[in-house]
Amino acid sequence: MKFGGTSMAGIERIRSVAARVKREAAAGNQVAVVVSAMAGETDRLVGFCREASPLYDPREYDVVVAAGEQITSGLLAIALQAIGVPARSWLGWQLPIHTDEAFAKARIGTIDTQALDASLSAGEVAVIPGFQGVTADGRITTLGRGGSDTSAVAMAAAMKADRCDIYTDVDGVYTTDPRIVPRARKLAKVTYEEMLELASVGAKVLQTRSVGLAMKEKVRVQVLSSFTGDDAPMADTLPGTMIVGEEEIEDVERQLITGIAHDKNEAKITLTSVPDKPGSVASIFEPLAAANINVDMIIQNIAHRSPSTTGASSSATDVTFTVPAADLPRSIEALNQARETIGFGELIHDMRVAKISVVGVGMRSHAGVASSMFTTLGARGINIQAISTSEIKVSVLIHEDETELAVRVLHTAYGLDADEAA
Ligand code: ADP
Ligand code: ASP
Ligand code: MG
């Protein structure tokens, strides 16, 4: 069982989580619980780091931001004990949960489950703080924002759990964020592949890595709500959304488009007048890769002749791409340092962009998905700044202010509105 930030926000909520855990344990299940920090807490801790220094040491950042989960894991163990359920917390370094050294976005390697197995066999509930791990030389790491989902799936895989139930503040995975489109529909099942794509383009209901890991380790994952009363159906009746293999979905249940996601956490960078010659693009992306910055959408405009100071004209091109907004200051720094090598004119950046994506395995066998996306947006006067596609996804970059409108009109255009799909 994994409980997210809103489910853990305050002692009342933690008591309600404890009651739910007790119910599952009383039904004869051995339970390990992974918890997030209280809602808003990780943002607060990140804020402290930024305030202390915008170019903070990621190793110390991890020490700070891992603290939120330490608090909630202890509190849940206390709340469980208070209602007669034997429980104890196991911090990342105590188990340990081994990770690599990519601080702030570490990857889990192996998890020692010996102590946990013993604890569960002795009838205890194990409470594990999500989001954290430890390097080989004993330094605290965190797994990237939203990483408790990945902790939970990794834990489930390591312990060979029957299922990994991700409890959150919505009762499943919807065709799009139900907070933006009230007519979004809950999906009973979604494939690993589509969920992976949806998560990677902004559907934050599950962290992308957690889905990739679940797919690889064949962990059965259910997304369900923690905001229900004592009379809520048991998790075994599968009241939420199951993430499943493609073979578990019947043809008749298939839609052309499964879901729509948005992401406001990208920033756009344009380098003007980049010399149009072999190696140019490499000289831009090498310094970014060296700084461990993930570039997402890339467009290179067609070359144009730009007059040079010597009077001769040389061929130059503009290169536009997106990076995570949080990495914008570091990206600008890395690019400016490489300015001589790249030889660009100006560096223009824009935070006020949003990426809108439509995802569905149906795209593989149907043409026209991208074109109807462009037509729908164009009809509403929404300008497209960049495009990228994969086999089962089309993404566009637009102005941030148009996010909600774009998601709504696309949701309707692809026939996903709840009232249409009876
Ligand atoms: P937690 O704190 O439990 O990890 P998150 O806030 O990370 O919860 O994720 C749950 C939120 O994800 C929901 O409140 C919802 O607004 C958002 N969300 C985005 N896309 C979707 C979607 N397709 N289906 C369900 N929820 C979504
Ligand atoms: N508390 C961390 C975050 O807010 C991890 C998580 O909640 O999944 O990103
Ligand atoms: Mg989350």
Side-chain angles (χ1 to χ4, degrees):
M1 302 174 82
K2 178 262 174 179
F3 293 89
T6 37
S7 310
M8 297 298 290
I11 301 303
E12 264 322 296
R13 294 292 323 152
I14 292 177
R15 283 211 183 97
S16 141
V17 165
R20 190 171 300 266
V21 171
K22 181 175 184 174
R23 207 153 69 108
E24 290 295 330
N29 296 306
Q30 289 191 335
V31 187
V33 189
V34 172
V35 295
S36 284
M38 294 190 196
E41 180 66 4
T42 310
D43 286 340
R44 193 175 75 98
L45 299 174
V46 170
F48 285 143
C49 293
R50 293 211 178 115
E51 204 181 323
S53 167
L55 295 172
Y56 48 74
D57 178 348
R59 292 167 297 193
E60 300 306 340
Y61 164 96
D62 277 356
V63 172
V64 177
V65 302
E69 272 77 5
Q70 171 158 347
I71 294 168
T72 47
S73 59
L75 287 173
L76 180 58
I78 293 173
L80 283 165
Q81 290 166 6
I83 54 171
V85 180
R88 78 153 274 189
S89 64
W90 298 90
L91 298 182
W93 59 269
Q94 291 173 322
L95 282 173
I97 297 173
H98 296 285
T99 73
D100 63 14
E101 302 202 340
F103 293 92
K105 43 185 150 185
R107 272 179 193 278
I108 296 178
T110 55
I111 301 177
D112 290 358
T113 58
Q114 235 179 340
L116 277 184
D117 293 339
S119 159
L120 294 197
S121 303
E124 264 178 357
V125 168
V127 186
I128 300 140
F131 190 46
Q132 56 174 252
V134 66
T135 64
D137 62 354
R139 297 199 70 155
I140 305 284
T141 51
T142 63
L143 310 179
R145 296 305 307 270
S148 296
D149 296 330
T150 302
S151 308
V153 171
M155 231 40 243
M159 302 181 78
K160 303 195 167 47
D162 296 320
R163 209 173 54 239
C164 178
D165 285 337
I166 308 263
Y167 288 86
T168 182
D169 56 2
V170 285
D171 60 358
V173 177
Y174 280 70
T175 47
T176 192
D177 190 340
R179 295 188 197 287
I180 292 201
V181 181
R183 284 193 293 180
R185 248 181 327 117
K186 190 176 122 188
L187 300 162
K189 294 175 194 163
V190 58
T191 64
Y192 287 113
E193 206 184 345
E194 286 169 312
M195 194 61 237
L196 188 63
E197 198 81 82
L198 279 170
S200 77
V201 293
K204 70 165 185 166
V205 59
L206 288 177
Q207 197 202 30
T208 311
R209 274 187 187 174
S210 71
V211 187
L213 189 63
M215 181 152 101
K216 180 166 153 265
E217 301 286 340
K218 300 197 169 54
V219 176
R220 292 183 68 74
V221 175
Q222 173 175 216
V223 176
L224 68 174
S225 175
S226 70
F227 286 73
T228 48
D230 294 340
D231 53 349
M234 296 298 284
D236 282 345
T237 66
L238 308 184
T241 299
M242 284 301 295
I243 321 294
V244 299
E246 218 171 315
E247 67 288 351
E248 283 188 60
I249 297 205
E250 307 277 335
D251 277 344
V252 291
E253 297 173 305
R254 286 220 178 99
Q255 295 257 329
L256 178 57
I257 295 301
T258 302
I260 301 175
H262 70 278
D263 185 359
K264 294 185 182 177
N265 293 314
E266 289 198 17
K268 184 177 76 167
I269 297 179
T270 299
L271 298 181
T272 67
S273 305
V274 176
D276 186 26
K277 59 167 206 255
S280 248
V281 171
S283 69
I284 297 173
F285 296 111
E286 265 163 15
L288 295 174
N292 214 354
I293 294 165
N294 288 323
V295 174
D296 180 20
M297 304 172 106
I298 302 176
I299 38 175
Q300 184 178 8
N301 299 351
I302 44 173
H304 55 265
R305 312 293 289 180
S306 67
S308 80
T309 43
T310 59
S313 73
S314 60
S315 196
T317 167
D318 290 354
V319 179
T320 297
F321 52 92
T322 61
V323 295
D327 288 334
L328 183 63
R330 291 198 306 123
S331 305
I332 294 173
E333 198 191 49
L335 291 165
N336 279 330
Q337 268 173 16
R339 185 172 194 145
E340 296 265 299
T341 331
I342 306 169
F344 62 87
E346 265 186 286
L347 186 161
I348 304 163
H349 57 89
D350 185 1
M351 296 273 281
R352 310 210 52 211
V353 292
K355 185 172 68 173
I356 312 295
S357 310
V358 300
V359 172
V361 287
M363 252 180 241
R364 282 198 194 116
S365 46
H366 283 82
V369 170
S371 114
S372 62
M373 182 180 197
F374 306 152
T375 308
T376 305
L377 296 176
R380 290 302 185 116
I382 298 171
N383 191 40
I384 297 170
Q385 306 177 15
I387 300 166
S388 68
T389 64
S390 80
E391 206 188 1
I392 63 163
K393 174 204 79 183
V394 184
S395 301
V396 296
L397 198 70
I398 62 169
H399 192 284
E400 186 184 62
D401 290 350
E402 294 170 326
T403 309
E404 280 76 13
L405 175 65
V407 174
R408 271 200 208 102
V409 296
L410 290 171
H411 198 265
T412 306
Y414 288 113
L416 296 176
D417 289 351
D419 49 357
E420 285 179 33

